[in-house]
Amino acid sequence: MFNICVSWISRHLKGGIMADGRVVIGGSTGFIGTRLQQTYRAQGREVITISRAGADLTWTDQSGIDAAVDGAELVVGLAGKSVSCRYTPTNRALILSSRLDTTTALSTAIGRASAPPPLWVNSSTATIYRHAEDRPQTEADGDIGTGFSVEVAKAWERALFADDLPATRRIALRTAIVLGDGGVLGTLRRLAPLGLGGPQFDGWWPVTKARRAAGTAHQHGSGHGHQRFSWIHLDDVAGIIDFLEQHPELSGPVNAAAPNPVDNVAFMAAVRRALGVRFGPPTPRWMLELGAIAIRTETELILKSRWVLPGRLAEAGYAFRHPDLDEAVRVSLR
């Protein structure tokens, strides 16, 4: 930590984050990556992007990644296959490898750098915590869960912290569901006016031995839409990364979640209010499961109770731009 602080101070003696400090974004074409590109370019910073396609560099160009990272002020790792798919053996392997291989590529580049970046923020997920109905989960007292999604998150964080990189501070950003113009709200904007904007009710559903063994089946949890919904607005994802650059005392896991989580009933009601939709009947689990099969996704994404609080950010004094759900949904859907 001493080496990290010395590196950070030496790069910022003139005050503030360097306006021309290079940012390397891995996984730059997704929902968060696209927004970060816009944010950093508006700040006058040089941005180098890495993705499978449509970016400055591809993940197969390790020498190019090495050159981009060397002398950068900030590296942000966001890459990974979307988890909105059926958890088949093939998709499970791709979900895992797409996270581990890209994280390893960034770690390799930082290890080779003559001027390593002072900060590397890498995506993780609030799904790493257990299905929580009894109390919120923070970095200090949260319980790590079980199942396929949790194992992916654990492996992702292990890859982030695996190598000895003494000059680079590393943060695993355990991000809740991100709200903005797109993502989950983009889907709900289309569904709610069709009468599909009601809460999602959990219930019994048959689970095969194979899915139980693979950890891919959602076990019966909260009924009547009471599963907790932790969220964060896209503006705050960008704001938190800026805040982390300015606070070299923070490293390790950091929960990126708004301080006022709600339950599924309240979240769906907020969406309907923002869209002017007066009525949304609940959707029972059997219907959700059939729908998930039809559109090739998993019900865990909406039925798992994620109750996460930003403990370390609150202690460090981060001021959320969108702490209120109704306001966050409204500005996202306007």
Side-chain angles (χ1 to χ4, degrees):
M1 178 58 72
F2 175 78
N3 289 338
I4 293 171
C5 289
V6 169
S7 174
W8 189 91
I9 292 168
S10 67
R11 289 172 184 247
H12 298 81
L13 283 175
K14 295 182 180 180
I17 297 170
M18 294 172 61
D20 59 348
R22 185 191 315 146
V23 181
V24 178
I25 304 176
S28 56
T29 58
F31 185 45
I32 298 175
T34 300
R35 170 56 186 277
L36 292 182
Q37 287 188 61
Q38 297 168 351
T39 297
Y40 294 132
R41 289 192 171 114
Q43 293 173 356
R45 304 180 74 170
E46 177 189 5
V47 177
I48 297 180
T49 58
I50 313 169
S51 189
R52 288 176 296 170
D56 299 317
L57 299 167
T58 65
W59 288 109
T60 58
D61 184 5
Q62 185 65 54
S63 62
I65 297 171
D66 292 353
V69 165
D70 198 349
E73 285 291 311
L74 170 66
V75 172
V76 182
L78 303 167
K81 173 180 168 55
S82 171
V83 295
S84 183
C85 62
R86 295 299 286 179
Y87 292 162
T88 64
T90 297
N91 283 339
R92 294 201 305 271
L94 287 172
I95 287 170
L96 181 61
S97 65
S98 63
R99 285 158 173 76
L100 300 192
D101 293 349
T102 54
T103 301
T104 298
L106 293 176
S107 190
T108 297
I110 292 171
R112 293 173 177 173
S114 58
L119 177 61
W120 173 15
V121 178
N122 210 64
S123 277
S124 182
T125 171
T127 298
I128 198 169
Y129 298 110
R130 64 175 171 86
H131 178 104
E133 302 177 27
D134 55 336
R135 64 175 180 85
Q137 309 290 294
T138 70
E139 303 92 338
D141 63 6
D143 301 319
I144 303 301
T146 59
F148 167 69
S149 297
V150 171
E151 292 305 315
V152 169
K154 289 163 60 178
W156 204 359
E157 292 192 6
R158 283 197 299 269
L160 169 63
F161 297 111
D163 294 332
D164 183 21
L165 306 173
T168 299
R169 180 167 50 105
R170 285 167 282 183
I171 291 175
L173 203 61
R174 293 176 174 174
T175 308
I177 294 173
V178 180
L179 305 182
D181 184 13
V184 65
L185 288 180
T187 300
L188 292 175
R189 184 197 292 269
R190 298 189 297 272
L191 294 179
L194 302 176
L196 298 174
Q200 291 89 36
F201 283 9
D202 207 342
W204 181 85
W205 183 257
V207 177
T208 66
K209 289 183 178 179
R211 282 176 65 83
R212 187 177 291 111
T216 59
H218 171 72
Q219 304 296 323
H220 181 197
S222 301
H224 299 93
H226 295 312
Q227 65 269 27
R228 304 296 294 187
F229 180 83
S230 287
W231 57 276
I232 187 167
H233 193 275
L234 189 56
D235 289 347
D236 277 308
V237 176
I240 287 167
I241 296 175
D242 282 347
F243 183 82
L244 292 172
E245 279 200 89
Q246 299 168 38
H247 287 263
E249 74 278 9
L250 292 173
S251 63
V254 171
N255 290 346
N260 300 305
V262 296
D263 64 12
N264 177 261
V265 170
F267 170 63
M268 296 306 296
V271 171
R272 294 196 304 275
R273 282 192 295 272
L275 293 173
V277 175
R278 298 183 63 181
F279 181 66
T283 306
R285 179 163 181 185
W286 67 266
M287 190 178 295
L288 294 170
E289 292 286 354
L290 295 177
I293 292 170
I295 65 174
R296 311 306 298 165
T297 190
E298 294 284 347
T299 58
E300 175 197 51
L301 301 176
I302 54 176
L303 293 178
K304 180 174 180 178
S305 185
R306 297 172 177 84
W307 192 355
V308 181
L309 291 179
R312 300 191 68 198
L313 288 172
E315 292 173 1
Y318 178 73
F320 280 83
R321 301 174 185 180
H322 302 285
D324 176 75
L325 177 65
D326 273 292
E327 187 271 343
V329 171
R330 186 170 59 252
V331 299
S332 298
L333 293 174
R334 63 187 174 191

